[in-house]
Every structure is written in C-alpha cells, then in structure tokens.
Amino acid sequence: MKIFKYVFVGTIIGIANIIPGISGGTMAVLFGLYDRLILSLYDLFRLRNILQSLFFVFPILLAAMIGIKLFSSIVLMALNSYYVATQFFWIGLIMGSLPSLVYSFNLRSLFSLYFYEWLALLGSIFLLVGVDHFALDGVSVDSPTIWMFFGVGVIAAASMIVPGLSGALVMMILGMYEPVLSLIDRLDWQMIIVVGLGATIGGLGSIIGIKWLLTRYQRMTHIIVLGLILGSVPVLLPSWKMISLSMGSAIFTFLIGFGLSFLLSSYKKTI
C-alpha cells in the first residue's frame, strides 16, 4: 500500500519541478517525506541500508521522472491557458499543509520562535522573493552548448532539492527553461544524459550539505525551510489585475489545493 503513496507523491514532486516558482523539495516537505528522503539518498551514496533506502527512494524518483515526462505538456498548457487558476492550486496546496508542517517541525507555533529565528525565517522569505525578482521572463538562450546543459543540470538539481527554491525558476533566470523542456519533449537522449550527469553531481552536493545541516542544526534548518516555503507564495501569486479577471476559478482551484493538502497532511504520518 505504501508504494502507491510513494508513487503519488513522486508524481506530484515531478510535476512541481516543471513549474517556475515551486519546487519538488517543497512537495516532499508538505507530504512529510523530506527528511527521510534526504537521509535515504545519503545512505545510498554511502552504500548503507541499500535495500531499505531503495524501496523508499526508487518509486518516488521513478514516479517523479514519469510525472515530468507525462505532465510537462499538460502543465505548460494549463499555465498558458489557465495561468491564474493553476497558480492558485499550488498556493492552496502550500497553505493547506502549513499547520501540519509547523507541528511536524516541533515549532508549536510561529509565535514561539526566538528573535534570531524570526530573522532566519524572514530572511529566507525575502531571499526567495529576491531571486524571483531577477527572473527574466521570456528570455531564452538560442543555441545552448553541451557545457551549458551540463551546468544548468548541476545548478537546477541542487536548487530543486532545496524546499521553496524552484529549479524551473533558476533555469528561467539562466535562460535555459525552454531549451531543457524542449529536450524532454523531443526525447533528445544525448543532451538529456548530459543534463542528467550535471543533475547527479548537483543533487549529491546538495544532499550532503542538507544532511549535514539536518544532523547538526535541525531546528534552524526547519525554520529556514519553512521560510523558503512561505516565500513560494508571493512568487507564485499572479498580478492583481490577472486575479481580478479570473477570481472565480482562482478561488475554486485554491480551495481544491487547500483541501487536498490538508487531508493528505493529516494522514502523512501513515506514509
């Protein structure tokens, strides 16, 4: 039964990695799997608890890759045709899980934070909003080289693992979002392997760093993760003019996302 839950969460993680402004790491946190996923990937890297870690990690990663391939065109269509409704679905997904998230991080409430913890929380929110401010919409590299695909794999994979930091947004900033999606669409395996090699290196580096932080500074790491997730909301939020033109659909999809994440987060201890 658990494997079906892992496949479901993995698919959501894959879809989230396509959308600028949200990350697969955020989805893993929302469903209560982030810490375990990082520790399991680290164990695989160190060749420890291999069978137990593979049983947990493999279905999630496989479903994430399938989700990226199967849903990339659907997500792009939804973003192009129903941008406001799609963004508000993800905002609802984030907001609905926040109470459970604060509880699972053993923070009791945001009012229980110390002053320096508030600084870390607010700093991580403003950091993410600042990164989004420098995104260059519509700018794309015309003829990317093999080293550019490798480099974007390193950077994007490292950012995808950090909750709240969108790998897709980072690719947009670098002008590589459309070229990479185009590779997936036309199944250019040579370049996909190059991006994959870069992603492996970037992902391993990020996993080792985050595992070290979770082991030594778990509470502060969780606070920064929470700040990055909260910072995703203004990044995802469309302009007020766009919202006013699609208010009904925005409220509807927000409620669907909110209700879905609230229900799933209520049962995440069974995952």
Side-chain angles (χ1 to χ4, degrees):
M1 185 64 183
K2 284 185 177 181
I3 195 167
F4 294 109
K5 295 177 182 178
Y6 298 158
V7 168
F8 172 75
V9 175
T11 304
I12 296 295
I13 288 172
I15 295 171
N17 277 325
I18 304 168
I19 299 177
I22 195 164
S23 76
T26 297
M27 294 298 105
V29 172
L30 297 187
F31 290 111
L33 297 178
Y34 185 75
D35 288 16
R36 185 180 172 190
L37 189 57
I38 291 294
L39 295 175
S40 295
L41 287 168
Y42 183 76
D43 279 346
L44 286 175
F45 175 66
R46 296 289 300 273
L47 300 178
R48 298 184 306 193
N49 303 320
I50 294 176
L51 288 179
Q52 182 182 356
S53 298
L54 271 179
F55 178 77
F56 176 67
V57 169
F58 182 74
I60 294 175
L61 294 186
L62 181 62
M65 289 187 286
I66 293 172
I68 290 172
K69 175 56 186 169
L70 292 183
F71 292 96
S72 60
S73 57
I74 297 173
V75 169
L76 288 175
M77 182 274 292
L79 286 171
N80 289 327
S81 303
Y82 308 101
Y83 178 74
V84 173
T86 303
Q87 295 298 85
F88 267 85
F89 171 78
W90 292 106
I91 292 172
L93 209 61
I94 291 171
M95 299 302 291
S97 65
L98 283 179
S100 175
L101 193 60
V102 171
Y103 177 80
S104 69
F105 282 172
N106 296 317
L107 299 177
R108 294 195 301 277
S109 76
L110 294 180
F111 299 104
S112 67
L113 299 183
Y114 295 107
F115 177 72
Y116 68 90
E117 292 175 334
W118 269 107
L119 288 179
L121 180 72
L122 294 174
S124 56
I125 292 173
F126 288 121
L127 172 66
L128 195 62
V129 175
V131 169
D132 176 62
H133 179 73
F134 289 101
L136 304 175
D137 294 333
V139 175
S140 182
V141 176
D142 291 330
S143 302
T145 65
I146 188 171
W147 291 109
M148 292 175 74
F149 279 118
F150 178 81
V152 80
V154 174
I155 297 169
S159 60
M160 284 176 185
I161 291 172
V162 178
L165 189 54
S166 166
L169 182 63
V170 170
M171 286 192 288
M172 283 185 71
I173 295 170
L174 298 173
M176 292 292 288
Y177 182 67
E178 290 182 13
V180 171
L181 277 189
S182 177
L183 293 182
I184 298 169
D185 249 357
R186 66 177 189 267
L187 291 178
D188 184 344
W189 288 110
Q190 184 178 356
M191 287 297 105
I192 288 174
I193 290 171
V194 170
V195 175
L197 288 173
T200 302
I201 294 171
L204 283 175
S206 189
I207 287 165
I208 292 169
I210 292 171
K211 190 267 179 186
W212 183 81
L213 289 171
L214 285 171
T215 303
R216 300 202 172 208
Y217 308 101
Q218 186 183 61
R219 179 179 169 89
M220 181 57 75
T221 302
H222 282 162
I223 289 169
I224 292 171
V225 165
L226 181 61
L228 291 171
I229 290 173
L230 288 171
S232 298
V233 174
V235 170
L236 288 168
L237 200 64
S239 67
W240 289 113
K241 183 179 179 180
M242 295 177 71
I243 295 172
S244 64
L245 295 173
S246 307
M247 184 67 73
S249 60
I251 294 172
F252 179 69
T253 53
F254 174 83
L255 291 174
I256 290 176
F258 187 94
L260 181 63
S261 70
F262 187 81
L263 288 172
L264 289 173
S265 63
S266 299
Y267 292 101
K268 71 182 179 183
K269 289 184 181 178
T270 67
I271 296 179

